[in-house]
Amino acid sequence: MMKMRTIGFVVVEDHPIVRQGIRLLLSREPHLRWLGETGKGEHVLDLVRQTQPDVLILDLGLPGLQGLDVIKQLQKEPAAPKILVVTARQDAPSLNAALEFGAQGYLLKSDDADELARALALIADDGIYVSPALAELMSDPGIPSHVLTERERDVVAAVVQGLPSKAVGVALGISEHTVRKHRENIARKLNLRNPAQLVAWALRHPI
């Protein structure tokens, strides 16, 4: 069996007990490695440059430099980590803003530890994660699944599992380039702006 690669992560959260809890929960996963933490948005760039994590776990409600500003700031970095937002905010503006600014995942603090580990692994592997509880908050174009071709529905089903384009191609026996073209066509047909909206759409429209 192929060994799972190690994923390094850092935690940006202003409550020490929450940081410690995340570290303890994820320490049970042998392929996840804690690299550092901070409670201030202003310290994130230094932390990322020093530790070079694969994933940054980020709360939105930080003192000083807010979480959304941290996401925008990190997009300017040449080797920016993937960003998994872990927050109590369940409003559509926060969710949409985080995804549009560049986060790859959005998890609620009410979700369990297994879901946290799953979300972290998915986005580290170029997947997209949105907490199922938040799917209804994503803008819904109200377009039924039959507007998609059979192959496009296959691609959607694979994407919802968190698979990146390369893995989707392997699973379906097509090239990564073809998968990307299918995803572009799907987004155009469904009027979706980012991959996370595709995941949310699929959660509401089972294929």
Side-chain angles (χ1 to χ4, degrees):
M1 183 173 63
M2 184 173 64
K3 183 179 180 180
M4 187 175 294
R5 75 179 182 92
T6 299
I7 299 169
F9 70 93
V10 296
V11 180
V12 182
E13 157 68 53
D14 61 323
H15 293 96
I17 194 169
V18 177
R19 294 199 303 268
Q20 294 164 10
I22 291 174
R23 181 179 181 180
L24 178 61
L25 290 170
L26 294 181
S27 69
R28 299 180 300 185
E29 304 290 338
H31 65 289
L32 301 180
R33 184 163 64 97
W34 177 88
L35 299 177
E37 63 183 57
T38 182
K40 295 183 178 180
E42 292 85 350
H43 297 168
V44 172
L45 280 184
D46 286 341
L47 178 64
V48 167
R49 289 167 180 169
Q50 291 169 8
T51 60
Q52 298 184 329
D54 298 295
V55 179
L56 182 143
I57 296 175
L58 175 69
D59 184 24
L60 294 182
L62 300 172
L65 189 67
Q66 291 285 300
L68 291 176
D69 294 320
V70 169
I71 296 173
K72 289 191 290 186
Q73 193 176 68
L74 284 172
Q75 303 315 302
K76 302 174 184 178
E77 288 293 290
K82 304 293 174 54
I83 299 172
L84 173 61
V85 170
V86 178
T87 181
R89 295 185 185 179
Q90 301 186 41
D91 60 287
S94 294
L95 172 61
N96 287 320
L99 299 174
E100 289 175 4
F101 289 169
Q104 287 78 25
Y106 199 102
L107 182 81
L108 295 178
K109 288 183 177 178
S110 56
D111 290 326
D112 62 29
D114 290 339
E115 202 66 13
L116 171 60
R118 175 176 177 270
L120 195 152
L122 282 177
I123 71 170
D125 196 30
D126 295 326
I128 296 291
Y129 177 90
V130 176
S131 176
L134 296 175
E136 63 184 27
L137 293 181
M138 304 292 283
S139 55
D140 188 351
I143 300 173
S145 61
H146 64 68
V147 303
L148 303 179
T149 67
E150 182 177 354
R151 177 58 83 190
E152 287 169 347
R153 290 196 293 271
D154 289 341
V155 170
V156 171
V159 169
V160 166
Q161 296 175 34
L163 298 178
S165 293
K166 184 176 182 179
V168 173
V170 171
L172 299 181
I174 57 179
S175 71
E176 182 178 358
H177 174 74
T178 300
V179 172
R180 293 185 184 280
K181 291 302 295 183
H182 280 310
R183 292 180 66 158
E184 290 174 7
N185 291 335
I186 293 166
R188 175 177 50 77
K189 288 181 177 181
L190 302 180
N191 192 29
L192 304 177
R193 291 172 294 178
N194 56 55
Q197 288 190 336
L198 173 58
V199 173
W201 179 89
L203 289 171
R204 294 191 305 271
H205 303 83
I207 294 178

